[in-house]
Amino acid sequence: MIRQIVLADQPILRKKLRPVKTFDDGLSSLVADMIDTMTFANGAGLAANQIGVDAQIFVTGIGPKPQVFINPKLKIIFSRRDLLEEGCLSVPGYRGPVHRPTTVEITYDNLKGVRRKQIVRGYLARVLQHEYDHLQGKLYIDHIKEKKQIEAVEPIRVAFFGSGEFAVPILVSLLGLLNWTFDFLTVGVVTQPARPAGRKQELTPTPIYRVAEKFGVKVLTPEKLDQKFMTEFKKWKVDLIVLSDYHKLLPAELLQLPRYGGVNVHPSLLPKYRWSAPIQNAILNGDRQTGVTLMQMNEKLDQGGIIAQYKLPIDSRDTYVTLSGKLSQVGAQMIRDNLYYYASGKIKVAPQKESEVTTAPMLGSNAGEIKATDTPAQIVRKVRALNPNPGVYTNWNGKRVKILAAHLEGRKLALDQLQIEGGKPLSWKDFKNGYPEFKLP
Ligand code: ZN
């Protein structure tokens, strides 16, 4: 659970914290909350008092996975120091240069209360010292003698364009970026208007609209990106557009407004699978690998230069729903890792190779119809790629039968879950009992 971060004026950030004596489930869930909060805020580390808890615990987010340090003791191994800019989640909006030793030895308890020892160098050594200071009631700004060296960081003003579920973790990751060094500030969200959905055809806002509302970010839902919209948008004074799963192309006039232009998070390894259905097509084609591309936007769909690409294997059991969920988490990570470097001009953008372009056009409502010529492997891929939308089906006895789940047994097709028009989803066994003559074409 993400918790509120305590700011520097609170007394709990200025006292020496109490040692941890009980190693129980309460401790584990506190540490889990600390990791969630640190990850959300894109922090390199977080101490317990930064979420208001008086206990000698900190977590770090550098390296392959988060680490927890309980009741730590630090020893400086070499006196050699280096100088780097630091920021702090509890002092948002500022940065300043701090001298710190480059190598330290840390002894600490792990979550089970077992004492451990590590020698740490480089950036992680700096993070350990910054967090260890927090446990003593100290802040990095205390190390800076000349206070004019503490600079206010002008945030880059971001507008997010997105609509679908895929874009949700990406927007959340973007909102978190404002807390770390205040490099990015999401000033507004643009999403598709509410549309009728569900059995009752009630007007339903997009998943992105709900996130914007929850975090209190301004949101616009224009039907068209026309002059009336542009007038409103200009008031946000946007420096950078981030877009994912918006369902509409942005006009050149709009992309030219922000000084850093626009970037798009696209769920394929571009130039493979441009356009709107890359995830479904990767599964339908039996690909073993896909990924996410962060690219520069131009007025043409998915044709801009590549900023970064992360790969992801496709599991043979992945469905559109599971793969889409994994890819959107990858996209969120890409935003955290790359946006700052992109805006500082430190990333070389590579053009897409035109000779390797493939496209993934939107799938029609009958893309999921089972054909007599489909092999068992093709049917299983359709079932994995095209549920829940547009859905996989066959027409039998004048009724539509949906195939919701299936797998291969050797080379044979094994059906798992079916649903006849007007009925409930049934396991294959129950379906077979109810409709013994049912056969695929
Ligand atoms: Zn800090």
Side-chain angles (χ1 to χ4, degrees):
M1 193 177 72
I2 299 166
R3 302 236 215 144
Q4 182 81 40
I5 293 176
V6 172
L7 297 184
D9 56 351
Q10 296 302 306
I12 191 152
L13 286 178
R14 289 314 201 169
K15 63 175 290 234
K16 191 172 160 54
L17 302 184
R18 285 196 283 248
V20 172
K21 294 201 174 119
T22 3
F23 294 81
D24 56 6
D25 289 350
L27 180 69
S28 302
S29 88
L30 169 65
V31 167
D33 284 0
M34 288 173 68
I35 290 171
D36 286 349
T37 307
M38 171 183 69
T39 307
F40 169 70
N42 200 36
L46 183 84
N49 49 349
Q50 289 185 281
I51 57 166
V53 176
D54 185 352
Q56 291 183 16
I57 310 168
F58 66 76
V59 291
T60 60
I62 303 288
K65 58 176 189 201
Q67 259 192 290
V68 52
F69 300 87
I70 301 165
N71 301 330
K73 289 276 177 278
L74 262 191
K75 214 164 86 186
I76 290 154
I77 303 281
F78 297 122
S79 56
R80 199 174 82 81
R81 285 158 183 260
D82 64 3
L83 183 69
L84 261 183
E85 297 270 327
E86 281 183 30
C88 177
L89 297 175
S90 296
V91 195
Y94 295 92
R95 269 200 281 231
V98 183
H99 283 278
R100 294 204 192 261
T102 56
T103 311
V104 295
E105 180 189 276
I106 187 163
T107 44
Y108 61 96
D109 295 321
N110 68 11
L111 266 178
K112 292 179 181 142
V114 180
R115 206 73 187 151
R116 302 262 182 213
K117 192 195 280 187
Q118 251 180 276
I119 292 185
V120 179
R121 297 178 184 81
Y123 189 52
L124 181 57
R126 172 173 291 272
V127 174
L128 293 182
Q129 293 171 74
H130 176 118
E131 301 309 329
Y132 185 76
D133 278 354
H134 273 302
L135 307 187
Q136 322 307 316
K138 251 177 141 179
L139 295 171
Y140 82 93
I141 46 179
D142 305 343
H143 294 284
I144 303 173
K145 288 208 184 71
E146 291 217 36
K147 295 299 175 214
K148 66 168 191 266
Q149 290 186 305
I150 302 169
E151 285 179 282
V153 183
E154 266 297 310
I156 293 170
R157 297 170 65 85
V158 182
F160 183 77
F161 286 67
S163 297
E165 204 61 58
F166 179 84
V168 167
I170 296 162
L171 173 58
V172 170
S173 136
L174 197 57
L175 291 168
L177 290 184
L178 77 94
N179 289 322
W180 176 220
T181 51
F182 220 70
D183 288 323
F184 293 92
L185 179 63
T186 306
V187 291
V189 166
V190 184
T191 189
Q192 296 295 332
R195 309 246 190 249
R199 201 167 284 194
K200 292 187 186 154
Q201 291 290 293
E202 276 173 286
L203 265 189
T204 310
T206 66
I208 284 298
Y209 184 93
R210 293 187 199 278
V211 177
E213 203 177 31
K214 181 175 158 198
F215 285 89
V217 183
K218 275 187 209 142
V219 44
L220 294 174
T221 58
E223 196 69 58
K224 281 189 184 144
L225 302 175
D226 53 10
Q227 284 312 316
K228 189 171 152 251
F229 165 77
M230 293 289 272
T231 310
E232 278 307 300
F233 184 80
K234 279 178 188 160
K235 291 180 193 160
W236 289 356
K237 297 188 169 35
V238 170
D239 299 313
L240 171 70
I241 287 173
V242 177
L243 177 145
S244 189
D245 201 10
Y246 175 58
H247 308 161
K248 199 173 271 179
L249 198 59
L250 306 195
E253 190 193 355
L254 174 58
L255 284 170
Q256 280 154 11
L257 280 179
R259 64 185 158 133
Y260 298 113
V263 301
N264 176 4
V265 182
H266 181 84
S268 83
L269 299 171
L270 288 170
K272 210 172 175 187
Y273 299 135
R274 286 177 177 172
W275 308 354
S276 52
I279 303 173
Q280 294 92 329
N281 278 282
I283 298 175
L284 279 179
N285 292 337
D287 293 359
R288 296 285 180 84
Q289 176 182 262
T290 184
V292 183
T293 303
L294 184 65
M295 64 152 203
Q296 233 170 10
M297 287 165 72
N298 57 27
E299 70 286 358
K300 292 183 185 146
L301 188 57
D302 300 335
Q303 300 192 19
I306 294 170
I307 300 164
Q309 259 178 352
Y310 289 7
K311 292 175 181 164
L312 187 82
I314 302 179
D315 188 279
S316 61
R317 281 158 302 178
D318 266 327
T319 63
Y320 168 76
V321 173
T322 63
L323 187 57
S324 170
K326 290 186 213 171
L327 289 168
S328 88
Q329 292 298 338
V330 170
Q333 185 63 44
M334 283 181 109
I335 288 291
R336 287 194 283 270
D337 293 351
N338 294 285
L339 218 49
Y340 174 75
Y341 294 101
Y342 174 68
S344 358
K346 284 178 184 150
I347 292 182
K348 236 177 108 182
V349 177
Q352 296 188 29
K353 285 193 188 126
E354 284 304 317
S355 59
E356 291 172 15
V357 170
T358 63
T359 54
M362 184 127 67
L363 295 150
S365 57
N366 56 1
E369 181 170 4
I370 305 279
K371 300 200 182 96
T373 51
D374 285 342
T375 65
Q378 281 170 326
I379 294 174
V380 169
R381 282 187 214 148
K382 274 189 178 175
V383 170
R384 288 165 53 214
L386 303 179
N387 278 314
N389 283 308
V392 179
Y393 64 91
T394 183
N395 292 317
W396 176 73
N397 267 0
K399 284 195 169 182
R400 178 166 285 204
V401 177
K402 288 190 198 170
I403 295 131
L404 302 173
H407 67 280
L408 282 180
E409 263 164 25
R411 287 189 185 166
K412 278 198 174 152
L413 177 68
L415 297 171
D416 295 317
Q417 202 188 30
L418 294 92
Q419 182 178 19
I420 197 160
E421 205 174 313
K424 283 185 195 155
L426 294 175
S427 71
W428 171 237
K429 205 178 136 213
D430 292 345
F431 192 87
K432 193 82 188 143
N433 280 334
Y435 310 94
E437 320 87 75
F438 173 77
K439 243 180 31 205
L440 283 177

